């Protein structure tokens, strides 16, 4: 009888441990690098409100993250201007011009944007083309970090989320009138993989809400 009681007690302890493990929500998620300033708000808020939420977060360009979703590398992703077959629109990210750089001898403006498949870069180029603004690309900019560095150094202009200078004080908004109104806002999508589980949907929505709270996202 004593042996049987010990076996039952051990069994109960194991079941309790398994239940605790399964009660934690775990998932892998991608986040557009252009929305990454909201991650600090997300992490601090969720640590208080949902300490059981466990996951991995990867930042990158939205097009690359969407490809990762299709390959099953992520279960969810917060994307800028990129729609997938299984996605929800969360709002529109308001943009602004940043930078204070000199014109070249021909009156062409130095612009910084990545050379990859970025929806933001495409929106910037389309906006400049519509306004017939003469520009040239700064050659050393190939990723979001080098883009921001060139703008902070006073060597180029670019468009970023409208409140970026609140988190990066060395970024200066472009004087009004030089480039005209900022590009139109870009849609923010919360995308899911084809195999994303129901608990992941709820967890990803909570993460997305917390992330976008710190960004200039307009309602639809």
């Amino acid at each position: 009888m004593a042996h049987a009681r010990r076996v039952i007690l051990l069994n109960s302890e194991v079941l309790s441990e398994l239940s605790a493990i399964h009660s934690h929500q775990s998932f892998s998620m991608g986040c557009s690098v252009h929305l990454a300033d909201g991650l600090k708000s997300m992490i601090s808020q969720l640590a208080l409100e949902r300490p059981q939420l466990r996951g991995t977060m990867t930042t990158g360009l939205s097009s690359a993250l969407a490809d990762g979703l299709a390959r099953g590398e992520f279960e969810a992703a917060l994307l800028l201007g990129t729609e997938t077959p299984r996605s929800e629109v969360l709002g529109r990210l308001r943009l602004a011009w940043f930078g204070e750089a000199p014109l070249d001898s021909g009156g062409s403006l130095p612009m910084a944007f990545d050379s990859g498949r970025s929806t933001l870069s495409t929106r910037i180029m389309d906006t400049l083309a519509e306004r017939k603004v003469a520009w040239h690309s700064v050659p050393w900019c190939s990723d979001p970090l080098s883009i921001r560095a060139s703008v902070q150094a006073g060597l180029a202009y670019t468009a970023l989320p409208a409140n970026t200078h609140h988190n990066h004080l060395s970024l200066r908004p472009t004087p009004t009138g030089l480039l005209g109104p900022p590009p139109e806002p870009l849609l923010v999508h919360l995308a899911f993989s084809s195999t994303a589980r129901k608990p992941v949907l709820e967890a990803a929505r909570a993460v997305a809400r917390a992330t976008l709270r710190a960004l200039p996202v307009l309602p639809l």
Side-chain angles (χ1 to χ4, degrees):
M1 289 293 294
H3 178 70
R5 290 192 186 99
R6 286 197 297 271
V7 171
I8 292 172
L9 179 61
L10 179 61
N11 182 64
S12 298
E13 290 177 354
V14 171
L15 290 176
S16 177
E17 289 295 327
L18 288 175
S19 177
I21 291 172
H22 287 300
S23 68
H24 286 80
Q25 295 172 317
S26 62
F27 68 106
S28 56
M29 185 169 179
C31 178
S32 166
V33 68
H34 299 299
L35 305 174
D37 280 348
L39 292 181
K40 180 176 69 174
S41 172
M42 178 272 285
I43 291 171
S44 60
Q45 181 174 335
L46 292 187
L48 292 173
E49 295 183 3
R50 305 183 72 165
Q52 79 284 3
L53 188 62
R54 296 179 177 178
T56 57
M57 185 71 69
T58 301
T59 60
L61 293 178
S62 294
S63 56
L65 296 175
D67 291 342
L69 273 177
R71 292 191 297 267
E73 296 174 6
F74 312 110
E75 294 178 279
L78 197 53
L79 307 177
L80 181 62
T82 302
E83 187 176 6
T84 68
R86 191 182 181 189
S87 60
E88 306 167 355
V89 180
L90 302 182
R92 299 174 298 147
L93 183 70
R94 188 163 53 88
L95 304 172
W97 294 117
F98 289 91
E100 292 181 354
L103 295 170
D104 68 7
S105 56
S108 175
L109 288 171
M111 301 299 302
F113 38 75
D114 66 80
S115 56
R117 296 177 296 155
S118 166
T119 307
L120 177 57
S121 295
T122 300
R123 178 61 56 87
I124 292 172
M125 289 187 283
D126 289 345
T127 300
L128 296 174
E130 289 170 3
R131 296 173 188 165
K132 296 180 171 54
V133 175
W135 62 274
H136 62 276
S137 177
V138 177
W140 53 80
C141 292
S142 59
D143 62 79
L145 202 59
S146 61
I147 289 169
R148 196 169 69 199
S150 67
V151 175
Q152 290 171 323
L155 300 174
Y157 298 92
T158 197
L160 296 167
N163 68 343
T164 301
H165 57 301
H166 295 167
N167 297 310
H168 307 279
L169 300 180
S170 57
L171 278 172
R172 298 180 180 179
T174 300
T176 304
L178 182 63
L179 289 168
E184 289 294 317
L186 283 168
L187 291 177
V188 178
H189 296 267
L190 178 59
F192 300 101
S193 70
S194 59
T195 58
R197 302 155 291 156
K198 185 175 180 180
V200 169
L201 307 185
E202 299 171 357
R205 290 183 182 117
V207 168
R209 286 194 299 269
T211 303
L212 296 185
R213 198 164 292 151
L215 296 166
V217 174
L218 304 169
L220 295 174

